[in-house]
Amino acid sequence: MDPCRTTRKAVFGIVASLAALLSGVTLAAAQQVTGTLGSPSATTTIDGKQLPAPDPSFGGVIKNDALNSKPWWAPRIVPPKDAPNILLIITDDAGFGVPSTFGGVIPTPTMDRVAANGLRYNNIHSTALCSPTRAALITGRNHHSAGFGVISEQSTGFPGYNSIITKDKATIGRILLDNGYATSWFGKDHNTPAFAASSIGPFDQWPTGMGFEYFYGFVGGDANQWQPNLFRNTTQIYPFEGKPGWNLVTGMADDAIDYLNRLNQTAPDKPFFMKYAPGATHAPHHPTKEWVDKISQMHLFDEGWNKLREQIFENQKKLGVIPQNTQLAPWPTEVLKNWDDLTATEKKLFVRQADVFAAYVAYNDHEIGRVIQAIDDMGKLDNTLIIYINGDNGTSAEGGPLGTPNEVAFFNGINEMPVDVQMKWYDVWGTEQTYNHMSAGWSWAFDTPFTWFKQNASRLGGIGQNMAISWPARIKGKGGLRDQFTHVIDVVPTILEVTGIPAPDTVDGIKQAPIEGTSFAYTFDKENAHAPTRHKTQYFEMMGQWALYNDGWLLSTKVNRAPWEAFGPANPDPLNNQVLELYDLTKDFSQSQNIADKHPDKVKEMKELFIAEAKKYQVFPMDASVAARIVAPRPNITAGRSEFIYTHPMVGLPQGDSPSLLNTSYTITADIDVPAGGAEGMILTSGGRFGGYGFYLLNSKPVFLWNLVDLKRVKWEGPALTPGKHIVEFDFKYDGLGAGTLAYNSFSGVGRPGTGTLKVDDKVVATQTMEHTLPMILQWDESFDIGSDTLTGVNDADYKPPFTLTAKLDKLTIKVDRPKLTEEDVKNIENTQAIAVDGRPIHNVQAGPQ
């Protein structure tokens, strides 16, 4: 063979390979190539403007035979050299004063470790609510821009509120995935629309459809940590079955560590991006007994919430995480009692509530520590950027002033369950027997030095978070504090800057909307410790409460609704029907000195700026309703249907995608075949231990039962069925106008009485009237099941799941007959004072808490 010819062919092959690569991929000037292009081991970075990167043209040589041809492989896409691993941690419902890292009394040694190895941030902000913050976090866009003006369970048919992240706003997971990262998401997914959360999809709005290759977690706002509605990718899993004491906080840490180890052993050089979003500390507060015992023995809360608040405040000043001149507003006695005014029983219950919450915080921080330690054990901690955000909003007050053993009760209008009733659950508080939440008194203290809570977008107690960041390879001034104004929308551009990956122009051929956040990577450098913030303007809005930050000033609406006051008529004009307050945050860190009366022109100027921002980011139309939006119509798979027929067992259909039997008349008919010897088991159920219904056979007797948020159970029962075919039917006649009244700012149509009739073979066997029905929602993390019961049962006294039906189910039919408002009904509503769920009149909206 001619050696010159061989050399020419080799050179031609290399040149052709490079030319083909250049023709298929637009390369940045800083393109990094490893190996020989065309070889199986070659890698390259991309400019990232078009995702996915177009496939390069074949760069080899093709002849008639393989011996004279040259193979060529497209290089694998990798991130830029030294791009860090990224662990993005966000906890749930935790205010500024929760972690020890920022002066709290609850030990959070893992967050302390991250801060000591890096930086603390005391001026980062959320949106005041769960999934809106998370949508902003993963897209780098404001929550209304990303369709999450509220949580998906409250979504409405407007672009800023439909809970759909549109295709022009690719997530950080998708961007990093197409640039060569391994991407994963653990824990809470509250960014899948509630009406697209079933096993039939669509899955484009699930983590795996938004650029996260691996998902292990739950879909929805919260989950029973003992028996969660858990998914691996898009398949429901039940790892807790047969494992008493199993808890998701540990379970997801175990799975994350396993994932990291598998990745490290398989592709040790591949960087990872992991979003780690535990359910803690959203209700239900479900720590293990070990952690409850540890915290209880510390007696952190024995002196009450007033003293706790003062202690946290002093700790914060000693640590230097708040300015020394920060002022603490007076305790809000018009909303919450002073500790000394409580009874001995109230104090006993409330201390228990706080111990369990704190145990949940400490337990969660410990398990996060195990994940970080696993990264350290792999030798990868030095080049891992850890972003540990404490809370996706302020501490939740949705337990109301008294707390609750069952948060589902709160969402059905029972927001102040008497303490003597709650004491029934004292010894099992935080176990699988409760869906518990603590008193808002603790929540106020845990938001120190700020005031108010989650949901309150106009107060720093709702939007003021803190954060610890470490990255030893880059951040050298360890233990420092950063006080530049930042927002969760700033996380995406920060990650893109430090990885050297640009925001794409197009993804899947769709032009991308601009990133709306501002990178804070400049704060990593010690010389910029006191540099002015680069994030100058930021709006806030949640359920009609709003604020605007602009260059140190904060315009905010006076709080006109406590979070537990969710069932009254909404403010009809939330833009204008407000008392406006003004704060200079450069001098008033805690938002305690309202100076609106001194600067009327500034108030006017900032309101105009808020309106401009609101128009820009899809905030309009503003809606101040809360509970009413829970039952707003949505495009789920039941929309427009009044009859549902099932012929096979099926489990796992979520509440947002299943037939709703609330505030309506309905008939459920089951054609069954009872075997010789009798039968038992679940025909149909929805919900669980903390609210729902079940239609089942108990010792061959047909039973229909309504579980009214674990406070009362209404039961219809017939005689035992003989072997053979039977038709069992439950018919319910609702005596009310239905959820349609909510469109007129009236709760008068929901939660009304109704009469249920149980029939066997067309013969009435039981009839009774329910004086009250559930107005808003069943237990949301339990599913609609046919033929068995998953997770928890609606009546522990009768059965334990799965309670599989041993009779043959030939056909199950559900017919729903929803009330329809007449013109006369509408006139009466408009001319009559709205009536609350519990029957008390709701008075006009006031400027302060009612």
Side-chain angles (χ1 to χ4, degrees), residues 622-658:
M622 287 172 63
D623 185 348
S625 64
V626 186
R629 277 193 271 184
I630 293 175
V631 293
R634 299 182 183 92
N636 66 19
I637 56 180
T638 69
R641 297 174 62 187
S642 59
E643 184 174 8
F644 305 85
I645 298 175
Y646 308 92
T647 57
H648 294 87
M650 178 180 71
V651 298
L653 195 61
Q655 300 297 332
D657 277 327
S658 59

Side-chain angles (χ1 to χ4, degrees), residues 568-584:
N571 183 345
D573 185 8
L575 177 62
N576 300 303
N577 185 22
Q578 301 279 9
V579 175
L580 297 181
E581 301 175 335
L582 183 68
Y583 301 90
D584 181 357

